[in-house]
Amino acid sequence: MGNFGLTSRLTPKGDPTAMIEARNLTQSYGSTLAVDHLSFEVHPGHVTGFLGPAGAGKSTTIRLMLGLESGGGRTLFDGVPYRRLRYPMREVGAVGDVRAFHPGRRAHSHLMMLAASQGIRRARVDEVIDWVGLGAVARRRPRSYSQGMGQRLALAGALLGDPKVLILDEPANGLDPAGARWLRGFLRAFAAEGRAVFVSGERADELAQVADQLIVIERGRLVAAEPAALYSGRGSAAEQVLVRTPHLERLSRLLAGHGGTVSRAEDHQLAVRGLDRATVGDLAFRDGIVLHELRIGIAVTEPAEDDTPTATYIPPQPQPHRARRRHAAGELKDDDTQAFEMESVLAGIEGGR
Protein backbone atom coordinates (compact mmCIF):
# COMPACT_ATOMS: atom_id res chain seq x y z
CA MET A 1 0.00 0.00 0.00
CA GLY A 2 1.20 3.50 -0.78
CA ASN A 3 1.77 5.78 2.16
CA PHE A 4 0.97 9.34 3.21
CA GLY A 5 4.60 10.42 3.16
CA LEU A 6 5.74 9.06 6.51
CA THR A 7 9.02 10.30 7.93
CA SER A 8 11.24 9.18 10.81
CA ARG A 9 9.66 11.71 13.15
CA LEU A 10 6.60 9.47 13.50
CA THR A 11 6.14 7.46 16.68
CA PRO A 12 6.66 3.79 15.73
CA LYS A 13 3.50 1.77 15.22
CA GLY A 14 2.49 -0.02 18.40
CA ASP A 15 4.52 2.29 20.66
CA PRO A 16 2.43 2.75 23.85
CA THR A 17 3.38 6.43 24.09
CA ALA A 18 0.27 8.53 23.54
CA MET A 19 0.17 10.97 20.65
CA ILE A 20 -2.52 12.96 22.46
CA GLU A 21 -2.62 13.45 26.23
CA ALA A 22 -5.61 15.43 27.52
CA ARG A 23 -5.50 16.23 31.22
CA ASN A 24 -8.20 17.76 33.42
CA LEU A 25 -9.99 19.62 30.58
CA THR A 26 -12.65 21.88 32.07
CA GLN A 27 -14.98 24.50 30.63
CA SER A 28 -17.95 26.37 32.08
CA TYR A 29 -20.48 28.70 30.51
CA GLY A 30 -22.01 30.65 33.36
CA SER A 31 -23.38 28.09 35.79
CA THR A 32 -23.23 25.27 33.21
CA LEU A 33 -20.26 22.94 33.41
CA ALA A 34 -19.81 21.84 29.79
CA VAL A 35 -16.60 19.83 30.27
CA ASP A 36 -15.95 18.39 33.71
CA HIS A 37 -12.26 17.64 34.48
CA LEU A 38 -11.95 15.32 31.49
CA SER A 39 -8.75 13.28 30.96
CA PHE A 40 -7.90 10.70 28.29
CA GLU A 41 -5.20 9.52 25.89
CA VAL A 42 -5.11 8.75 22.17
CA HIS A 43 -2.53 6.27 20.87
CA PRO A 44 -0.82 5.82 17.50
CA GLY A 45 -1.98 3.17 15.08
CA HIS A 46 -5.57 3.37 16.32
CA VAL A 47 -8.84 5.09 15.50
CA THR A 48 -10.22 6.44 18.78
CA GLY A 49 -13.93 7.26 18.81
CA PHE A 50 -15.20 10.12 20.98
CA LEU A 51 -18.79 9.14 21.75
CA GLY A 52 -21.57 11.10 23.39
CA PRO A 53 -25.09 12.41 22.72
CA ALA A 54 -25.76 15.90 21.40
CA GLY A 55 -24.76 18.45 24.03
CA ALA A 56 -22.38 16.08 25.83
CA GLY A 57 -19.43 18.45 25.36
CA LYS A 58 -17.61 16.80 22.44
CA SER A 59 -17.09 19.93 20.31
CA THR A 60 -16.15 22.01 23.34
CA THR A 61 -13.57 19.37 24.30
CA ILE A 62 -12.03 19.48 20.83
CA ARG A 63 -11.83 23.29 20.92
CA LEU A 64 -10.10 23.08 24.29
CA MET A 65 -7.63 20.56 22.89
CA LEU A 66 -6.74 22.90 20.02
CA GLY A 67 -6.53 26.01 22.19
CA LEU A 68 -9.56 27.60 20.55
CA GLU A 69 -11.13 28.11 23.99
CA SER A 70 -9.38 29.16 27.15
CA GLY A 71 -10.68 26.72 29.74
CA GLY A 72 -8.90 24.61 32.32
CA GLY A 73 -6.48 21.74 31.82
CA ARG A 74 -4.11 21.11 28.95
CA THR A 75 -3.58 18.88 25.93
CA LEU A 76 -0.21 17.74 24.61
CA PHE A 77 0.48 16.49 21.09
CA ASP A 78 3.61 14.34 21.27
CA GLY A 79 4.46 16.28 24.43
CA VAL A 80 3.83 19.78 23.00
CA PRO A 81 0.75 22.05 23.41
CA TYR A 82 -0.93 22.91 20.11
CA ARG A 83 -0.14 26.61 20.36
CA ARG A 84 3.58 25.86 20.67
CA LEU A 85 3.73 23.81 17.48
CA ARG A 86 5.78 25.73 14.91
CA TYR A 87 3.84 24.33 11.95
CA PRO A 88 0.64 22.98 13.50
CA MET A 89 -0.84 21.63 10.26
CA ARG A 90 2.22 19.41 9.86
CA GLU A 91 1.52 17.83 13.27
CA VAL A 92 -2.26 17.95 13.75
CA GLY A 93 -4.94 17.95 11.06
CA ALA A 94 -8.30 19.08 12.44
CA VAL A 95 -11.79 19.26 10.96
CA GLY A 96 -14.38 21.27 12.85
CA ASP A 97 -16.50 23.83 10.99
CA VAL A 98 -16.76 22.48 7.44
CA ARG A 99 -17.94 25.88 6.21
CA ALA A 100 -14.76 27.67 7.28
CA PHE A 101 -13.81 29.03 3.86
CA HIS A 102 -14.05 32.29 1.91
CA PRO A 103 -17.37 32.21 0.02
CA GLY A 104 -15.86 33.72 -3.14
CA ARG A 105 -12.76 31.52 -3.32
CA ARG A 106 -12.72 28.29 -5.29
CA ALA A 107 -11.94 25.07 -3.45
CA HIS A 108 -8.55 24.63 -5.12
CA SER A 109 -7.59 28.22 -4.29
CA HIS A 110 -8.74 27.76 -0.69
CA LEU A 111 -6.40 24.81 -0.27
CA MET A 112 -3.55 26.64 -2.02
CA MET A 113 -3.89 29.46 0.50
CA LEU A 114 -3.76 27.02 3.43
CA ALA A 115 -0.71 25.29 1.96
CA ALA A 116 1.15 28.57 1.48
CA SER A 117 0.52 29.54 5.11
CA GLN A 118 2.41 26.44 6.27
CA GLY A 119 5.15 26.29 3.64
CA ILE A 120 3.61 23.20 2.01
CA ARG A 121 4.46 22.48 -1.61
CA ARG A 122 1.80 23.27 -4.22
CA ALA A 123 1.69 19.74 -5.62
CA ARG A 124 0.37 18.53 -2.27
CA VAL A 125 -2.92 20.34 -2.95
CA ASP A 126 -3.67 18.21 -6.01
CA GLU A 127 -2.73 15.07 -4.09
CA VAL A 128 -5.20 15.62 -1.26
CA ILE A 129 -7.94 16.71 -3.67
CA ASP A 130 -7.58 13.37 -5.45
CA TRP A 131 -7.51 11.44 -2.16
CA VAL A 132 -10.83 12.86 -0.94
CA GLY A 133 -12.50 12.54 -4.34
CA LEU A 134 -13.07 16.21 -5.23
CA GLY A 135 -11.05 16.30 -8.43
CA ALA A 136 -14.10 16.87 -10.65
CA VAL A 137 -15.35 19.84 -8.63
CA ALA A 138 -12.17 21.41 -7.22
CA ARG A 139 -12.50 24.50 -9.43
CA ARG A 140 -15.97 25.26 -8.11
CA ARG A 141 -16.72 27.61 -5.25
CA PRO A 142 -17.46 25.50 -2.15
CA ARG A 143 -20.45 27.64 -1.23
CA SER A 144 -22.28 25.49 -3.81
CA TYR A 145 -21.12 22.25 -2.17
CA SER A 146 -23.41 19.91 -0.31
CA GLN A 147 -22.62 19.22 3.33
CA GLY A 148 -20.94 15.96 2.39
CA MET A 149 -18.72 17.68 -0.16
CA GLY A 150 -17.89 20.30 2.45
CA GLN A 151 -16.77 17.49 4.75
CA ARG A 152 -14.44 16.19 2.02
CA LEU A 153 -12.97 19.66 1.43
CA ALA A 154 -12.37 20.15 5.15
CA LEU A 155 -10.67 16.75 5.31
CA ALA A 156 -8.44 17.72 2.37
CA GLY A 157 -7.36 20.81 4.29
CA ALA A 158 -6.59 18.74 7.38
CA LEU A 159 -4.39 16.39 5.32
CA LEU A 160 -2.32 19.09 3.64
CA GLY A 161 0.46 19.05 6.22
CA ASP A 162 0.86 15.25 6.21
CA PRO A 163 -0.03 15.24 9.95
CA LYS A 164 0.65 12.61 12.58
CA VAL A 165 -2.72 13.22 14.23
CA LEU A 166 -6.16 13.68 12.69
CA ILE A 167 -9.01 15.17 14.76
CA LEU A 168 -12.49 15.08 13.22
CA ASP A 169 -15.66 16.47 14.80
CA GLU A 170 -18.61 14.36 13.53
CA PRO A 171 -17.21 14.01 9.98
CA ALA A 172 -19.98 11.66 8.81
CA ASN A 173 -22.63 14.40 8.96
CA GLY A 174 -24.05 14.92 5.49
CA LEU A 175 -22.44 11.84 3.97
CA ASP A 176 -24.61 9.27 2.22
CA PRO A 177 -23.97 5.54 2.92
CA ALA A 178 -21.33 5.24 0.19
CA GLY A 179 -19.58 8.34 1.50
CA ALA A 180 -19.65 6.98 5.04
CA ARG A 181 -18.08 3.71 3.87
CA TRP A 182 -15.40 5.66 2.05
CA LEU A 183 -14.67 7.68 5.20
CA ARG A 184 -14.33 4.57 7.35
CA GLY A 185 -11.89 3.03 4.89
CA PHE A 186 -9.91 6.24 4.78
CA LEU A 187 -9.60 6.53 8.56
CA ARG A 188 -8.56 2.90 8.95
CA ALA A 189 -5.89 3.32 6.26
CA PHE A 190 -4.63 6.52 7.89
CA ALA A 191 -4.30 4.87 11.31
CA ALA A 192 -2.65 1.82 9.74
CA GLU A 193 0.29 4.06 8.85
CA GLY A 194 1.04 4.42 12.59
CA ARG A 195 -0.83 7.68 13.01
CA ALA A 196 -3.58 8.62 15.45
CA VAL A 197 -7.22 9.37 14.59
CA PHE A 198 -9.61 11.01 17.06
CA VAL A 199 -13.16 11.14 15.67
CA SER A 200 -16.34 12.22 17.45
CA GLY A 201 -19.87 10.97 16.91
CA GLU A 202 -23.26 10.49 18.55
CA ARG A 203 -23.98 6.86 17.64
CA ALA A 204 -22.12 3.93 19.15
CA ASP A 205 -23.03 1.59 16.29
CA GLU A 206 -21.49 3.93 13.70
CA LEU A 207 -18.29 4.61 15.62
CA ALA A 208 -17.86 0.93 16.44
CA GLN A 209 -17.54 0.21 12.71
CA VAL A 210 -14.28 2.16 12.51
CA ALA A 211 -12.93 2.75 16.03
CA ASP A 212 -10.48 0.54 17.92
CA GLN A 213 -11.01 2.48 21.15
CA LEU A 214 -13.96 4.47 22.52
CA ILE A 215 -13.89 7.43 24.88
CA VAL A 216 -17.46 8.01 26.06
CA ILE A 217 -18.70 11.17 27.74
CA GLU A 218 -22.04 12.37 29.08
CA ARG A 219 -22.58 15.94 30.24
CA GLY A 220 -18.87 16.62 29.95
CA ARG A 221 -17.83 13.73 32.20
CA LEU A 222 -16.02 10.52 31.37
CA VAL A 223 -18.28 7.46 31.25
CA ALA A 224 -15.94 4.89 29.71
CA ALA A 225 -12.56 4.58 28.00
CA GLU A 226 -11.99 1.12 26.61
CA PRO A 227 -11.74 -1.03 23.46
CA ALA A 228 -14.72 -0.49 21.18
CA ALA A 229 -15.49 -4.22 21.00
CA LEU A 230 -15.71 -4.46 24.79
CA TYR A 231 -17.95 -1.42 25.07
CA SER A 232 -20.30 -2.55 22.29
CA GLY A 233 -20.45 -6.11 23.57
CA ARG A 234 -21.21 -5.19 27.16
CA GLY A 235 -24.21 -3.04 26.29
CA SER A 236 -24.95 -2.01 29.90
CA ALA A 237 -23.86 1.56 29.31
CA ALA A 238 -25.02 1.84 25.72
CA GLU A 239 -27.45 4.40 24.36
CA GLN A 240 -30.68 4.36 26.37
CA VAL A 241 -33.81 6.39 26.94
CA LEU A 242 -33.28 8.57 29.99
CA VAL A 243 -36.37 9.72 31.88
CA ARG A 244 -36.75 12.17 34.75
CA THR A 245 -40.08 12.06 36.59
CA PRO A 246 -41.43 12.56 40.11
CA HIS A 247 -43.14 9.15 39.76
CA LEU A 248 -40.12 6.86 39.48
CA GLU A 249 -41.63 3.69 40.94
CA ARG A 250 -44.90 4.00 39.09
CA LEU A 251 -43.20 4.59 35.73
CA SER A 252 -40.73 1.77 36.36
CA ARG A 253 -43.56 -0.74 36.85
CA LEU A 254 -45.40 0.55 33.78
CA LEU A 255 -42.41 0.31 31.44
CA ALA A 256 -41.31 -3.06 32.79
CA GLY A 257 -44.83 -4.34 32.14
CA HIS A 258 -44.43 -3.38 28.47
CA GLY A 259 -41.12 -5.16 27.99
CA GLY A 260 -38.68 -2.43 28.97
CA THR A 261 -35.57 -3.02 31.05
CA VAL A 262 -35.50 -0.25 33.66
CA SER A 263 -32.72 0.73 36.03
CA ARG A 264 -31.92 3.70 38.22
CA ALA A 265 -29.40 6.11 36.73
CA GLU A 266 -27.58 9.09 38.16
CA ASP A 267 -29.36 12.39 38.93
CA HIS A 268 -32.64 10.67 39.89
CA GLN A 269 -33.31 9.36 36.40
CA LEU A 270 -34.53 6.09 34.96
CA ALA A 271 -32.53 4.39 32.21
CA VAL A 272 -34.74 2.40 29.85
CA ARG A 273 -33.61 -0.20 27.30
CA GLY A 274 -35.83 -2.16 24.96
CA LEU A 275 -38.29 0.70 24.34
CA ASP A 276 -37.75 3.72 22.13
CA ARG A 277 -38.28 7.30 23.28
CA ALA A 278 -41.66 7.72 21.55
CA THR A 279 -43.03 4.57 23.17
CA VAL A 280 -41.88 5.66 26.64
CA GLY A 281 -43.52 9.07 26.16
CA ASP A 282 -46.78 7.58 24.88
CA LEU A 283 -47.05 5.10 27.75
CA ALA A 284 -46.39 7.78 30.36
CA PHE A 285 -48.97 10.10 28.78
CA ARG A 286 -51.69 7.45 28.64
CA ASP A 287 -51.10 6.61 32.30
CA GLY A 288 -51.09 10.25 33.39
CA ILE A 289 -47.45 10.27 34.51
CA VAL A 290 -45.69 13.63 34.40
CA LEU A 291 -42.27 13.64 32.70
CA HIS A 292 -39.74 16.38 33.39
CA GLU A 293 -37.21 15.08 30.89
CA LEU A 294 -37.19 12.47 28.13
CA ARG A 295 -34.11 12.03 25.96
CA ILE A 296 -31.64 9.66 24.37
CA GLY A 297 -28.42 9.47 26.33
CA ILE A 298 -25.70 7.32 27.79
CA ALA A 299 -26.63 6.42 31.32
CA VAL A 300 -24.22 5.68 34.13
CA THR A 301 -25.90 2.95 36.16
CA GLU A 302 -24.65 1.99 39.58
CA PRO A 303 -22.57 -1.24 39.26
CA ALA A 304 -22.75 -4.19 41.55
CA GLU A 305 -20.04 -4.39 44.19
CA ASP A 306 -17.89 -6.76 42.13
CA ASP A 307 -18.26 -4.85 38.85
CA THR A 308 -15.39 -2.92 37.29
CA PRO A 309 -16.15 0.84 37.16
CA THR A 310 -17.12 1.80 33.62
CA ALA A 311 -14.72 4.78 33.57
CA THR A 312 -11.61 2.64 34.07
CA TYR A 313 -9.19 3.19 31.19
CA ILE A 314 -7.94 0.05 29.45
CA PRO A 315 -4.80 0.85 27.42
CA PRO A 316 -4.86 -0.36 23.81
CA GLN A 317 -2.70 -3.35 22.99
CA PRO A 318 -0.54 -3.27 19.86
CA GLN A 319 -2.42 -4.92 17.02
CA PRO A 320 -1.39 -5.39 13.39
CA HIS A 321 -3.30 -3.19 10.98
CA ARG A 322 -3.39 -4.65 7.50
CA ALA A 323 -5.04 -2.51 4.88
CA ARG A 324 -6.33 -4.71 2.11
CA ARG A 325 -5.66 -3.79 -1.47
CA ARG A 326 -8.80 -3.91 -3.50
CA HIS A 327 -9.39 -2.74 -7.04
CA ALA A 328 -12.70 -0.90 -7.09
CA ALA A 329 -13.64 1.26 -10.02
CA GLY A 330 -15.51 4.36 -8.99
CA GLU A 331 -16.42 7.80 -10.15
CA LEU A 332 -18.03 10.90 -8.70
CA LYS A 333 -21.66 10.02 -9.32
CA ASP A 334 -22.95 13.27 -7.88
CA ASP A 335 -21.70 16.17 -5.79
CA ASP A 336 -21.65 14.09 -2.63
CA THR A 337 -20.58 10.56 -3.47
CA GLN A 338 -17.48 8.91 -4.80
CA ALA A 339 -17.87 5.17 -4.54
CA PHE A 340 -14.44 3.76 -3.96
CA GLU A 341 -12.51 2.31 -1.02
CA MET A 342 -9.66 4.46 0.25
CA GLU A 343 -7.31 1.51 0.41
CA SER A 344 -7.39 1.08 -3.36
CA VAL A 345 -6.71 4.76 -3.90
CA LEU A 346 -3.76 4.76 -1.52
CA ALA A 347 -2.31 1.73 -3.29
CA GLY A 348 -1.50 3.90 -6.29
CA ILE A 349 -0.20 6.96 -4.50
CA GLU A 350 3.46 7.56 -3.74
CA GLY A 351 4.18 9.30 -0.42
CA GLY A 352 5.82 12.64 0.21
CA ARG A 353 4.65 16.17 0.76
Side-chain angles (χ1 to χ4, degrees):
M1 185 179 71
N3 59 55
F4 288 89
L6 297 181
T7 67
S8 59
R9 63 186 173 83
L10 279 179
T11 302
K13 186 187 299 185
D15 190 318
T17 302
M19 278 190 175
I20 303 177
E21 298 177 71
R23 292 288 176 261
N24 205 34
L25 298 182
T26 307
Q27 181 63 287
S28 297
Y29 301 112
S31 60
T32 301
L33 189 58
V35 180
D36 188 358
H37 300 88
L38 186 60
S39 297
F40 56 84
E41 296 179 352
V42 177
H43 292 260
H46 293 79
V47 178
T48 299
F50 191 36
L51 175 65
K58 300 186 300 295
S59 295
T60 301
T61 297
I62 290 174
R63 290 195 296 270
L64 288 170
M65 294 168 65
L66 299 174
L68 301 177
E69 293 200 19
S70 55
R74 71 171 186 169
T75 303
L76 301 179
F77 297 91
D78 252 4
V80 181
Y82 186 83
R83 290 185 175 181
R84 289 179 53 192
L85 296 174
R86 184 175 181 184
Y87 296 105
M89 288 181 65
R90 293 177 181 265
E91 304 292 333
V92 181
V95 175
D97 182 3
V98 300
R99 293 294 177 179
F101 50 76
H102 191 285
R105 185 173 288 122
R106 299 179 190 277
H108 187 275
S109 299
H110 167 71
L111 294 174
M112 290 291 289
M113 178 195 67
L114 291 178
S117 72
Q118 298 287 300
I120 299 169
R121 62 186 177 88
R122 295 166 62 93
R124 179 71 174 178
V125 172
D126 293 324
E127 290 175 1
V128 298
I129 285 174
D130 287 341
W131 288 352
V132 302
L134 289 179
V137 294
R139 303 291 175 176
R140 288 173 47 182
R141 291 180 174 84
R143 65 186 176 190
S144 66
Y145 282 6
S146 66
Q147 186 176 4
M149 291 173 63
Q151 292 280 18
R152 291 173 183 261
L153 177 58
L155 180 58
L159 292 171
L160 275 173
D162 187 25
K164 295 186 290 185
V165 174
L166 197 56
I167 298 177
L168 309 176
D169 193 5
E170 302 195 13
N173 284 350
L175 293 179
D176 61 12
R181 288 194 299 272
W182 167 83
L183 179 65
R184 291 194 294 269
F186 181 94
L187 297 182
R188 285 193 294 266
F190 187 91
E193 296 285 357
R195 305 174 187 230
V197 177
F198 185 70
V199 54
S200 74
E202 295 183 9
R203 295 185 54 179
D205 57 341
E206 291 182 352
L207 280 181
Q209 294 182 60
V210 66
D212 305 292
Q213 306 290 312
L214 282 181
I215 294 168
V216 188
I217 66 170
E218 167 75 5
R219 297 187 181 182
R221 287 179 288 175
L222 182 68
V223 173
E226 59 194 18
L230 178 61
Y231 179 87
S232 299
R234 190 180 65 249
S236 61
E239 295 166 335
Q240 302 169 78
V241 178
L242 301 183
V243 189
R244 194 187 312 279
T245 176
H247 310 292
L248 292 173
E249 296 298 334
R250 183 178 162 195
L251 182 60
S252 294
R253 291 192 299 270
L254 174 66
L255 298 178
H258 285 80
T261 300
V262 185
S263 58
R264 291 290 183 93
E266 61 178 2
D267 299 333
H268 307 289
Q269 296 179 105
L270 293 178
V272 184
R273 287 182 287 123
L275 299 173
D276 61 25
R277 182 170 56 176
T279 300
V280 172
D282 289 344
L283 290 172
F285 176 77
R286 289 203 297 265
D287 212 61
I289 297 176
V290 175
L291 302 183
H292 292 168
E293 186 176 14
L294 178 63
R295 63 188 177 88
I296 299 296
I298 301 170
V300 183
T301 56
E302 295 186 5
E305 291 183 1
D306 59 348
D307 282 351
T308 301
T310 57
T312 299
Y313 182 72
I314 303 175
Q317 298 300 314
Q319 298 177 0
H321 287 70
R322 298 176 181 174
R324 293 168 293 176
R325 298 187 182 186
R326 293 199 295 268
H327 297 283
E331 60 181 1
L332 195 66
K333 296 182 178 179
D334 54 38
D335 286 348
D336 195 27
T337 303
Q338 187 168 13
F340 59 80
E341 295 287 347
M342 194 61 207
E343 295 96 323
S344 63
V345 176
L346 294 177
I349 296 176
E350 293 297 329
R353 288 197 179 94

